[in-house]
Amino acid sequence: MIELYTWSTPNGRKVSIMLEECGLPYNVHKINIGTNSEQFAPDYLEINPNGKIPSIVDPDGPDGKPYSMMESGAILIYLAAKTGKFLPKSARGKYDALQWLMFQMGSVGPMFGQAHHFMRAKKDEVPYGSERYGKEAKRLYGVMQRQLEKHDFLAGRQYTIADIATYPWVARHEWHRVDLAEFPHVKRWYDAIGARPAVARGMAVPQPS
Ligand SMILES: N[C@@H](CCC(=O)N[C@@H](CS)C(=O)NCC(=O)O)C(=O)O
């Protein structure tokens, strides 16, 4: 049984969606990052030295021994390799998926996260931050719109870990003040992925107490 350390955020839900899609059994451990302490507890830092969610511990790691992992993108690559699912086998297909996974990890996640911080998390909205990251978030939707105009999924014809990583961030489109009606190809992709039962189950993790 894989141990999943998570909270109700897009980075955590990428991993619960992947575990559901792969049909891997897992136990959920809630790390309430809002306390500003659970993620920094010494025992948790042994698993995730960066003090963030998500993390996993696989009792059956690559060498058959327990293996801990941080960083959601790396976890998705690991689970794809472990199960042979959602990362194409051909070199071209694999690198297409990894490019779009890195686009999510390096741009979509950090920029949308900053937009949320300036637009929502702070008591007094900071217009400079909201404008800067709101504009960048819209630009990134434009990149996805152009890609999805040509392809069913971010990396081409197949549903991959790039889609799994990006979906929970697009699910927060209202938080970064993006109207999906302006990006119809992103909306078509978003609706198709949201209709997958494993995605719905992964998005419901962690269950409220
Ligand atoms: N690059 C990391 C980012 C993880 C991350 O930023 N997690 C946030 C929640 S979405 C977190 O744990 N924040 C708590 C904190 O910063 O104290 C990943 O993809 O795993």
Side-chain angles (χ1 to χ4, degrees):
M1 185 83 93
I2 289 179
E3 307 299 326
L4 168 65
Y5 298 81
T6 193
W7 192 238
S8 50
T9 70
N11 286 325
R13 285 174 173 157
K14 290 174 198 177
V15 178
S16 44
I17 291 173
M18 181 67 173
L19 289 163
E20 291 287 346
E21 289 281 19
C22 294
L24 287 168
Y26 61 102
N27 278 326
V28 175
H29 302 262
K30 288 186 193 175
I31 302 292
N32 181 348
I33 59 175
T35 60
N36 233 5
S37 65
E38 291 186 16
Q39 66 269 44
F40 303 119
D43 284 359
Y44 185 64
L45 290 177
E46 291 288 316
I47 297 169
N48 189 322
N50 196 26
K52 292 189 186 286
I53 63 95
S55 320
I56 61 165
V57 179
D58 183 357
D60 179 26
D63 47 8
K65 294 187 196 135
Y67 188 61
S68 306
M69 283 194 89
M70 63 172 183
E71 285 297 327
S72 58
I75 295 171
L76 295 184
I77 295 170
Y78 173 77
L79 295 175
K82 186 179 173 80
T83 58
K85 291 180 175 168
F86 307 115
L87 188 59
K89 302 279 179 294
S90 72
R92 188 174 285 266
K94 178 168 80 177
Y95 294 121
D96 282 348
L98 292 177
Q99 282 182 56
W100 285 95
L101 176 67
M102 296 303 151
F103 168 78
Q104 186 288 308
M105 291 297 294
S107 293
V108 168
M111 295 301 118
F112 291 11
Q114 291 299 323
H116 298 168
H117 176 79
F118 285 104
M119 292 174 179
R120 293 178 52 98
K122 287 187 82 82
K123 268 199 202 128
D124 302 314
E125 185 170 339
V126 178
Y128 176 79
S130 298
E131 202 178 304
R132 174 179 167 84
Y133 294 107
K135 197 169 154 196
E136 180 62 1
K138 277 209 166 171
R139 191 190 69 78
L140 294 168
Y141 274 83
V143 175
M144 292 190 276
Q145 167 77 3
R146 289 192 292 281
Q147 179 69 358
L148 292 167
E149 194 175 342
K150 292 181 280 173
H151 303 285
D152 286 346
F153 297 103
L154 285 169
R157 271 178 302 158
Q158 284 184 53
Y159 173 63
T160 70
I161 51 175
D163 303 294
I164 291 173
T166 308
Y167 176 85
W169 282 100
V170 173
R172 292 249 160 118
H173 56 95
E174 285 174 1
W175 285 30
H176 42 266
R177 301 180 189 162
V178 163
D179 180 359
L180 286 189
E182 284 180 40
F183 302 97
H185 293 286
V186 177
K187 180 158 184 354
R188 184 258 310 146
W189 165 92
Y190 174 73
D191 290 343
I193 292 177
R196 296 177 69 92
V199 171
R201 289 195 301 274
M203 288 294 286
V205 173
Q207 300 281 336
S209 332

